[in-house]
PDB file of all heavy atoms in Angstrom:
ATOM      1  N   GLY Q  80       5.803  13.222  17.136  1.00 83.00           N
ATOM      2  CA  GLY Q  80       7.030  13.266  17.979  1.00 83.00           C
ATOM      3  C   GLY Q  80       7.883  12.070  17.741  1.00 83.00           C
ATOM      4  O   GLY Q  80       7.544  11.237  16.964  1.00 83.00           O
ATOM      5  N   THR Q  81       9.058  11.964  18.388  1.00 76.00           N
ATOM      6  CA  THR Q  81       9.912  10.938  18.316  1.00 76.00           C
ATOM      7  C   THR Q  81       9.840   9.715  19.245  1.00 76.00           C
ATOM      8  O   THR Q  81      10.606   8.784  19.113  1.00 76.00           O
ATOM      9  CB  THR Q  81      11.326  11.545  18.181  1.00 76.00           C
ATOM     10  OG1 THR Q  81      11.611  12.164  19.499  1.00 76.00           O
ATOM     11  CG2 THR Q  81      11.547  12.546  17.136  1.00 76.00           C
ATOM     12  N   LYS Q  82       9.040   9.910  20.180  1.00 78.00           N
ATOM     13  CA  LYS Q  82       8.858   8.938  21.199  1.00 78.00           C
ATOM     14  C   LYS Q  82       8.723   7.442  20.701  1.00 78.00           C
ATOM     15  O   LYS Q  82       9.502   6.558  21.036  1.00 78.00           O
ATOM     16  CB  LYS Q  82       7.652   9.163  22.208  1.00 78.00           C
ATOM     17  CG  LYS Q  82       7.510   8.375  23.237  1.00 78.00           C
ATOM     18  CD  LYS Q  82       6.288   8.715  24.111  1.00 78.00           C
ATOM     19  CE  LYS Q  82       6.036   7.858  25.357  1.00 78.00           C
ATOM     20  NZ  LYS Q  82       4.942   8.234  26.171  1.00 78.00           N
ATOM     21  N   ASP Q  83       7.830   7.363  19.746  1.00 81.00           N
ATOM     22  CA  ASP Q  83       7.542   6.049  19.082  1.00 81.00           C
ATOM     23  C   ASP Q  83       7.637   6.178  17.543  1.00 81.00           C
ATOM     24  O   ASP Q  83       6.821   5.498  16.754  1.00 81.00           O
ATOM     25  CB  ASP Q  83       6.233   5.431  19.526  1.00 81.00           C
ATOM     26  CG  ASP Q  83       6.373   4.349  20.629  1.00 81.00           C
ATOM     27  OD1 ASP Q  83       7.541   3.878  20.948  1.00 81.00           O
ATOM     28  OD2 ASP Q  83       5.327   3.971  21.106  1.00 81.00           O
ATOM     29  N   LEU Q  84       8.401   6.973  17.027  1.00 81.00           N
ATOM     30  CA  LEU Q  84       8.409   7.317  15.677  1.00 81.00           C
ATOM     31  C   LEU Q  84       8.621   6.131  14.686  1.00 81.00           C
ATOM     32  O   LEU Q  84       7.769   5.990  13.784  1.00 81.00           O
ATOM     33  CB  LEU Q  84       9.558   8.378  15.176  1.00 81.00           C
ATOM     34  CG  LEU Q  84       9.490   8.975  13.992  1.00 81.00           C
ATOM     35  CD1 LEU Q  84      10.044  10.415  13.918  1.00 81.00           C
ATOM     36  CD2 LEU Q  84      10.324   8.213  12.829  1.00 81.00           C
ATOM     37  N   GLY Q  85       9.539   5.216  14.997  1.00 80.00           N
ATOM     38  CA  GLY Q  85       9.705   4.085  14.197  1.00 80.00           C
ATOM     39  C   GLY Q  85       8.460   3.122  14.097  1.00 80.00           C
ATOM     40  O   GLY Q  85       8.087   2.758  13.087  1.00 80.00           O
ATOM     41  N   VAL Q  86       7.852   2.939  15.189  1.00 85.00           N
ATOM     42  CA  VAL Q  86       6.581   2.124  15.354  1.00 85.00           C
ATOM     43  C   VAL Q  86       5.361   2.887  14.484  1.00 85.00           C
ATOM     44  O   VAL Q  86       4.698   2.116  13.726  1.00 85.00           O
ATOM     45  CB  VAL Q  86       6.168   1.903  16.761  1.00 85.00           C
ATOM     46  CG1 VAL Q  86       5.006   0.992  16.852  1.00 85.00           C
ATOM     47  CG2 VAL Q  86       7.422   1.288  17.551  1.00 85.00           C
ATOM     48  N   ILE Q  87       5.224   4.201  14.761  1.00 89.00           N
ATOM     49  CA  ILE Q  87       4.090   4.770  14.048  1.00 89.00           C
ATOM     50  C   ILE Q  87       4.344   4.792  12.605  1.00 89.00           C
ATOM     51  O   ILE Q  87       3.410   4.572  11.836  1.00 89.00           O
ATOM     52  CB  ILE Q  87       4.017   6.261  14.589  1.00 89.00           C
ATOM     53  CG1 ILE Q  87       3.675   6.093  16.062  1.00 89.00           C
ATOM     54  CG2 ILE Q  87       2.837   6.870  13.868  1.00 89.00           C
ATOM     55  CD1 ILE Q  87       3.681   7.576  16.880  1.00 89.00           C
ATOM     56  N   ASN Q  88       5.543   5.143  12.249  1.00 86.00           N
ATOM     57  CA  ASN Q  88       6.018   5.208  10.731  1.00 86.00           C
ATOM     58  C   ASN Q  88       5.688   3.741  10.159  1.00 86.00           C
ATOM     59  O   ASN Q  88       5.056   3.748   9.041  1.00 86.00           O
ATOM     60  CB  ASN Q  88       7.439   5.554  10.536  1.00 86.00           C
ATOM     61  CG  ASN Q  88       7.858   5.705   9.115  1.00 86.00           C
ATOM     62  OD1 ASN Q  88       7.375   6.621   8.406  1.00 86.00           O
ATOM     63  ND2 ASN Q  88       8.641   4.783   8.731  1.00 86.00           N
ATOM     64  N   GLY Q  89       6.077   2.678  10.806  1.00 85.00           N
ATOM     65  CA  GLY Q  89       5.827   1.361  10.320  1.00 85.00           C
ATOM     66  C   GLY Q  89       4.355   1.153  10.246  1.00 85.00           C
ATOM     67  O   GLY Q  89       3.935   0.451   9.244  1.00 85.00           O
ATOM     68  N   ARG Q  90       3.551   1.531  11.094  1.00 90.00           N
ATOM     69  CA  ARG Q  90       2.148   1.357  10.995  1.00 90.00           C
ATOM     70  C   ARG Q  90       1.341   2.084   9.966  1.00 90.00           C
ATOM     71  O   ARG Q  90       0.490   1.578   9.363  1.00 90.00           O
ATOM     72  CB  ARG Q  90       1.468   1.587  12.403  1.00 90.00           C
ATOM     73  CG  ARG Q  90       1.818   0.560  13.462  1.00 90.00           C
ATOM     74  CD  ARG Q  90       1.199   0.694  14.822  1.00 90.00           C
ATOM     75  NE  ARG Q  90       1.583  -0.425  15.618  1.00 90.00           N
ATOM     76  CZ  ARG Q  90       1.368  -0.435  16.991  1.00 90.00           C
ATOM     77  NH1 ARG Q  90       0.863   0.569  17.660  1.00 90.00           N
ATOM     78  NH2 ARG Q  90       1.753  -1.514  17.680  1.00 90.00           N
ATOM     79  N   VAL Q  91       1.820   3.273   9.735  1.00 92.00           N
ATOM     80  CA  VAL Q  91       1.386   3.989   8.521  1.00 92.00           C
ATOM     81  C   VAL Q  91       1.723   3.242   7.169  1.00 92.00           C
ATOM     82  O   VAL Q  91       0.989   3.195   6.222  1.00 92.00           O
ATOM     83  CB  VAL Q  91       1.889   5.425   8.435  1.00 92.00           C
ATOM     84  CG1 VAL Q  91       1.361   6.182   7.193  1.00 92.00           C
ATOM     85  CG2 VAL Q  91       1.391   6.245   9.780  1.00 92.00           C
ATOM     86  N   LEU Q  92       2.903   2.613   7.336  1.00 86.00           N
ATOM     87  CA  LEU Q  92       3.419   1.805   5.987  1.00 86.00           C
ATOM     88  C   LEU Q  92       2.705   0.621   5.823  1.00 86.00           C
ATOM     89  O   LEU Q  92       2.778  -0.078   4.834  1.00 86.00           O
ATOM     90  CB  LEU Q  92       4.856   1.586   6.198  1.00 86.00           C
ATOM     91  CG  LEU Q  92       5.908   2.744   5.919  1.00 86.00           C
ATOM     92  CD1 LEU Q  92       7.244   2.343   6.199  1.00 86.00           C
ATOM     93  CD2 LEU Q  92       5.704   3.206   4.530  1.00 86.00           C
ATOM     94  N   SER Q  93       1.763   0.296   6.767  1.00 88.00           N
ATOM     95  CA  SER Q  93       0.823  -0.862   6.443  1.00 88.00           C
ATOM     96  C   SER Q  93       0.006  -0.466   5.166  1.00 88.00           C
ATOM     97  O   SER Q  93      -0.440  -1.451   4.388  1.00 88.00           O
ATOM     98  CB  SER Q  93      -0.055  -1.205   7.501  1.00 88.00           C
ATOM     99  OG  SER Q  93      -0.921  -0.091   7.923  1.00 88.00           O
ATOM    100  N   ALA Q  94      -0.090   0.762   4.890  1.00 90.00           N
ATOM    101  CA  ALA Q  94      -0.679   1.223   3.596  1.00 90.00           C
ATOM    102  C   ALA Q  94       0.074   0.730   2.459  1.00 90.00           C
ATOM    103  O   ALA Q  94      -0.707   0.331   1.439  1.00 90.00           O
ATOM    104  CB  ALA Q  94      -0.873   2.746   3.747  1.00 90.00           C
ATOM    105  N   TRP Q  95       1.326   0.512   2.662  1.00 82.00           N
ATOM    106  CA  TRP Q  95       2.094   0.125   1.445  1.00 82.00           C
ATOM    107  C   TRP Q  95       1.819  -1.381   1.227  1.00 82.00           C
ATOM    108  O   TRP Q  95       1.761  -1.787   0.081  1.00 82.00           O
ATOM    109  CB  TRP Q  95       3.634   0.162   1.932  1.00 82.00           C
ATOM    110  CG  TRP Q  95       4.637   0.057   0.939  1.00 82.00           C
ATOM    111  CD1 TRP Q  95       4.337  -0.266  -0.522  1.00 82.00           C
ATOM    112  CD2 TRP Q  95       6.067   0.370   0.893  1.00 82.00           C
ATOM    113  NE1 TRP Q  95       5.609  -0.176  -1.172  1.00 82.00           N
ATOM    114  CE2 TRP Q  95       6.629   0.095  -0.415  1.00 82.00           C
ATOM    115  CE3 TRP Q  95       7.029   0.655   2.039  1.00 82.00           C
ATOM    116  CZ2 TRP Q  95       7.915   0.291  -0.647  1.00 82.00           C
ATOM    117  CZ3 TRP Q  95       8.217   0.840   1.759  1.00 82.00           C
ATOM    118  CH2 TRP Q  95       8.779   0.730   0.451  1.00 82.00           C
ATOM    119  N   ALA Q  96       1.537  -2.074   2.378  1.00 81.00           N
ATOM    120  CA  ALA Q  96       1.254  -3.580   2.074  1.00 81.00           C
ATOM    121  C   ALA Q  96      -0.164  -3.707   1.426  1.00 81.00           C
ATOM    122  O   ALA Q  96      -0.197  -4.593   0.492  1.00 81.00           O
ATOM    123  CB  ALA Q  96       1.058  -4.247   3.527  1.00 81.00           C
ATOM    124  N   VAL Q  97      -0.970  -2.981   1.716  1.00 88.00           N
ATOM    125  CA  VAL Q  97      -2.347  -3.043   1.071  1.00 88.00           C
ATOM    126  C   VAL Q  97      -2.291  -2.500  -0.461  1.00 88.00           C
ATOM    127  O   VAL Q  97      -2.842  -3.239  -1.289  1.00 88.00           O
ATOM    128  CB  VAL Q  97      -3.406  -2.312   1.945  1.00 88.00           C
ATOM    129  CG1 VAL Q  97      -4.798  -2.367   1.255  1.00 88.00           C
ATOM    130  CG2 VAL Q  97      -3.538  -2.863   3.283  1.00 88.00           C
ATOM    131  N   ALA Q  98      -1.533  -1.391  -0.511  1.00 90.00           N
ATOM    132  CA  ALA Q  98      -1.518  -0.786  -1.821  1.00 90.00           C
ATOM    133  C   ALA Q  98      -0.728  -1.603  -2.802  1.00 90.00           C
ATOM    134  O   ALA Q  98      -1.059  -1.498  -4.020  1.00 90.00           O
ATOM    135  CB  ALA Q  98      -0.892   0.687  -1.691  1.00 90.00           C
ATOM    136  N   GLY Q  99       0.262  -2.261  -2.295  1.00 81.00           N
ATOM    137  CA  GLY Q  99       1.134  -3.126  -3.168  1.00 81.00           C
ATOM    138  C   GLY Q  99       0.361  -4.152  -3.813  1.00 81.00           C
ATOM    139  O   GLY Q  99       0.664  -4.651  -4.921  1.00 81.00           O
ATOM    140  N   ILE Q 100      -0.641  -4.610  -3.157  1.00 83.00           N
ATOM    141  CA  ILE Q 100      -1.638  -5.814  -3.698  1.00 83.00           C
ATOM    142  C   ILE Q 100      -2.708  -5.063  -4.582  1.00 83.00           C
ATOM    143  O   ILE Q 100      -2.951  -5.332  -5.716  1.00 83.00           O
ATOM    144  CB  ILE Q 100      -2.284  -6.482  -2.639  1.00 83.00           C
ATOM    145  CG1 ILE Q 100      -1.320  -7.301  -1.804  1.00 83.00           C
ATOM    146  CG2 ILE Q 100      -3.272  -7.427  -3.239  1.00 83.00           C
ATOM    147  CD1 ILE Q 100      -0.499  -8.477  -2.568  1.00 83.00           C
ATOM    148  N   VAL Q 101      -3.446  -3.969  -3.920  1.00 90.00           N
ATOM    149  CA  VAL Q 101      -4.429  -3.415  -4.662  1.00 90.00           C
ATOM    150  C   VAL Q 101      -4.147  -2.622  -5.898  1.00 90.00           C
ATOM    151  O   VAL Q 101      -4.883  -2.712  -6.855  1.00 90.00           O
ATOM    152  CB  VAL Q 101      -5.248  -2.404  -3.639  1.00 90.00           C
ATOM    153  CG1 VAL Q 101      -6.363  -1.637  -4.340  1.00 90.00           C
ATOM    154  CG2 VAL Q 101      -5.782  -3.198  -2.466  1.00 90.00           C
ATOM    155  N   GLY Q 102      -3.120  -1.757  -5.834  1.00 90.00           N
ATOM    156  CA  GLY Q 102      -2.800  -0.910  -6.908  1.00 90.00           C
ATOM    157  C   GLY Q 102      -2.460  -1.787  -8.140  1.00 90.00           C
ATOM    158  O   GLY Q 102      -3.271  -1.561  -9.228  1.00 90.00           O
ATOM    159  N   PRO Q 103      -1.415  -2.519  -8.226  1.00 86.00           N
ATOM    160  CA  PRO Q 103      -1.318  -3.327  -9.521  1.00 86.00           C
ATOM    161  C   PRO Q 103      -2.445  -4.303  -9.849  1.00 86.00           C
ATOM    162  O   PRO Q 103      -2.545  -4.609 -11.165  1.00 86.00           O
ATOM    163  CB  PRO Q 103       0.034  -4.236  -9.053  1.00 86.00           C
ATOM    164  CG  PRO Q 103       0.566  -3.404  -7.953  1.00 86.00           C
ATOM    165  CD  PRO Q 103      -0.455  -2.914  -7.124  1.00 86.00           C
ATOM    166  N   THR Q 104      -3.225  -4.767  -8.917  1.00 88.00           N
ATOM    167  CA  THR Q 104      -4.297  -5.610  -9.290  1.00 88.00           C
ATOM    168  C   THR Q 104      -5.355  -4.811  -9.945  1.00 88.00           C
ATOM    169  O   THR Q 104      -6.033  -5.338 -11.036  1.00 88.00           O
ATOM    170  CB  THR Q 104      -4.893  -6.229  -8.021  1.00 88.00           C
ATOM    171  OG1 THR Q 104      -3.888  -6.985  -7.317  1.00 88.00           O
ATOM    172  CG2 THR Q 104      -6.092  -7.151  -8.365  1.00 88.00           C
ATOM    173  N   ILE Q 105      -5.701  -3.675  -9.443  1.00 90.00           N
ATOM    174  CA  ILE Q 105      -6.609  -2.667 -10.176  1.00 90.00           C
ATOM    175  C   ILE Q 105      -6.186  -2.380 -11.584  1.00 90.00           C
ATOM    176  O   ILE Q 105      -6.871  -2.517 -12.537  1.00 90.00           O
ATOM    177  CB  ILE Q 105      -6.826  -1.347  -9.313  1.00 90.00           C
ATOM    178  CG1 ILE Q 105      -7.581  -1.627  -8.125  1.00 90.00           C
ATOM    179  CG2 ILE Q 105      -7.542  -0.283 -10.308  1.00 90.00           C
ATOM    180  CD1 ILE Q 105      -7.588  -0.359  -7.202  1.00 90.00           C
ATOM    181  N   TYR Q 106      -4.793  -2.083 -11.676  1.00 88.00           N
ATOM    182  CA  TYR Q 106      -4.253  -1.834 -12.992  1.00 88.00           C
ATOM    183  C   TYR Q 106      -4.469  -3.054 -13.974  1.00 88.00           C
ATOM    184  O   TYR Q 106      -4.953  -2.889 -15.089  1.00 88.00           O
ATOM    185  CB  TYR Q 106      -2.737  -1.547 -12.840  1.00 88.00           C
ATOM    186  CG  TYR Q 106      -2.097  -1.197 -14.270  1.00 88.00           C
ATOM    187  CD1 TYR Q 106      -1.967   0.244 -14.560  1.00 88.00           C
ATOM    188  CD2 TYR Q 106      -1.738  -2.198 -15.106  1.00 88.00           C
ATOM    189  CE1 TYR Q 106      -1.319   0.481 -15.693  1.00 88.00           C
ATOM    190  CE2 TYR Q 106      -1.021  -1.779 -16.284  1.00 88.00           C
ATOM    191  CZ  TYR Q 106      -0.925  -0.503 -16.547  1.00 88.00           C
ATOM    192  OH  TYR Q 106      -0.273  -0.171 -17.791  1.00 88.00           O
ATOM    193  N   ASP Q 107      -4.130  -4.202 -13.442  1.00 86.00           N
ATOM    194  CA  ASP Q 107      -4.239  -5.488 -14.347  1.00 86.00           C
ATOM    195  C   ASP Q 107      -5.596  -5.761 -14.675  1.00 86.00           C
ATOM    196  O   ASP Q 107      -5.879  -6.192 -15.911  1.00 86.00           O
ATOM    197  CB  ASP Q 107      -3.501  -6.555 -13.586  1.00 86.00           C
ATOM    198  CG  ASP Q 107      -2.036  -6.595 -13.490  1.00 86.00           C
ATOM    199  OD1 ASP Q 107      -1.460  -5.691 -14.348  1.00 86.00           O
ATOM    200  OD2 ASP Q 107      -1.467  -7.194 -12.736  1.00 86.00           O
ATOM    201  N   VAL Q 108      -6.561  -5.699 -13.684  1.00 90.00           N
ATOM    202  CA  VAL Q 108      -7.933  -6.157 -13.913  1.00 90.00           C
ATOM    203  C   VAL Q 108      -8.604  -5.155 -15.013  1.00 90.00           C
ATOM    204  O   VAL Q 108      -9.198  -5.584 -15.939  1.00 90.00           O
ATOM    205  CB  VAL Q 108      -8.814  -6.104 -12.692  1.00 90.00           C
ATOM    206  CG1 VAL Q 108     -10.223  -6.249 -12.927  1.00 90.00           C
ATOM    207  CG2 VAL Q 108      -8.241  -7.282 -11.828  1.00 90.00           C
ATOM    208  N   ILE Q 109      -8.599  -3.774 -14.731  1.00 90.00           N
ATOM    209  CA  ILE Q 109      -9.128  -2.737 -15.546  1.00 90.00           C
ATOM    210  C   ILE Q 109      -8.464  -2.873 -17.020  1.00 90.00           C
ATOM    211  O   ILE Q 109      -9.186  -2.781 -18.007  1.00 90.00           O
ATOM    212  CB  ILE Q 109      -8.992  -1.340 -15.052  1.00 90.00           C
ATOM    213  CG1 ILE Q 109      -9.816  -1.407 -13.578  1.00 90.00           C
ATOM    214  CG2 ILE Q 109      -9.598  -0.375 -15.900  1.00 90.00           C
ATOM    215  CD1 ILE Q 109      -9.827  -0.033 -12.905  1.00 90.00           C
ATOM    216  N   LYS Q 110      -7.241  -3.090 -17.010  1.00 84.00           N
ATOM    217  CA  LYS Q 110      -6.497  -2.942 -18.284  1.00 84.00           C
ATOM    218  C   LYS Q 110      -6.873  -4.160 -19.225  1.00 84.00           C
ATOM    219  O   LYS Q 110      -7.053  -4.041 -20.326  1.00 84.00           O
ATOM    220  CB  LYS Q 110      -4.908  -2.977 -18.033  1.00 84.00           C
ATOM    221  CG  LYS Q 110      -4.118  -2.962 -19.332  1.00 84.00           C
ATOM    222  CD  LYS Q 110      -4.136  -1.610 -19.971  1.00 84.00           C
ATOM    223  CE  LYS Q 110      -3.024  -1.449 -21.040  1.00 84.00           C
ATOM    224  NZ  LYS Q 110      -3.049  -2.381 -22.073  1.00 84.00           N
ATOM    225  N   LYS Q 111      -6.948  -5.358 -18.459  1.00 84.00           N
ATOM    226  CA  LYS Q 111      -7.331  -6.613 -19.189  1.00 84.00           C
ATOM    227  C   LYS Q 111      -8.719  -6.584 -19.585  1.00 84.00           C
ATOM    228  O   LYS Q 111      -9.100  -7.000 -20.704  1.00 84.00           O
ATOM    229  CB  LYS Q 111      -7.149  -7.752 -18.323  1.00 84.00           C
ATOM    230  CG  LYS Q 111      -7.352  -9.116 -18.978  1.00 84.00           C
ATOM    231  CD  LYS Q 111      -6.911 -10.207 -18.117  1.00 84.00           C
ATOM    232  CE  LYS Q 111      -7.029 -11.624 -18.764  1.00 84.00           C
ATOM    233  NZ  LYS Q 111      -6.625 -12.681 -17.887  1.00 84.00           N
ATOM    234  N   SER Q 112      -9.722  -6.069 -18.791  1.00 87.00           N
ATOM    235  CA  SER Q 112     -11.063  -6.056 -19.216  1.00 87.00           C
ATOM    236  C   SER Q 112     -11.498  -5.035 -20.161  1.00 87.00           C
ATOM    237  O   SER Q 112     -12.333  -5.269 -20.978  1.00 87.00           O
ATOM    238  CB  SER Q 112     -11.893  -5.822 -17.794  1.00 87.00           C
ATOM    239  OG  SER Q 112     -11.655  -4.720 -17.240  1.00 87.00           O
ATOM    240  N   SER Q 113     -10.812  -3.753 -20.134  1.00 86.00           N
ATOM    241  CA  SER Q 113     -11.166  -2.664 -20.920  1.00 86.00           C
ATOM    242  C   SER Q 113     -10.233  -2.633 -22.176  1.00 86.00           C
ATOM    243  O   SER Q 113     -10.558  -2.007 -23.262  1.00 86.00           O
ATOM    244  CB  SER Q 113     -11.042  -1.327 -20.209  1.00 86.00           C
ATOM    245  OG  SER Q 113      -9.765  -1.059 -19.744  1.00 86.00           O
TER     246      SER Q 113
END
């Protein structure tokens, strides 16, 4: 619903914070090692 939509959407976007570090790091580490 829309009661707390901005807040909930923002909290799901914490996935972006983690993914922004994890994704490129996985790419760089595996690409460099392999």
Side-chain angles (χ1 to χ4, degrees):
T81 58
K82 182 178 181 179
D83 257 353
L84 189 146
V86 182
I87 300 170
N88 184 67
R90 288 180 177 170
V91 177
L92 282 174
S93 62
W95 198 353
V97 181
I100 298 288
V101 174
T104 301
I105 289 175
Y106 183 97
D107 289 341
V108 169
I109 297 177
K110 182 70 166 56
K111 188 174 181 179
S112 61
S113 68

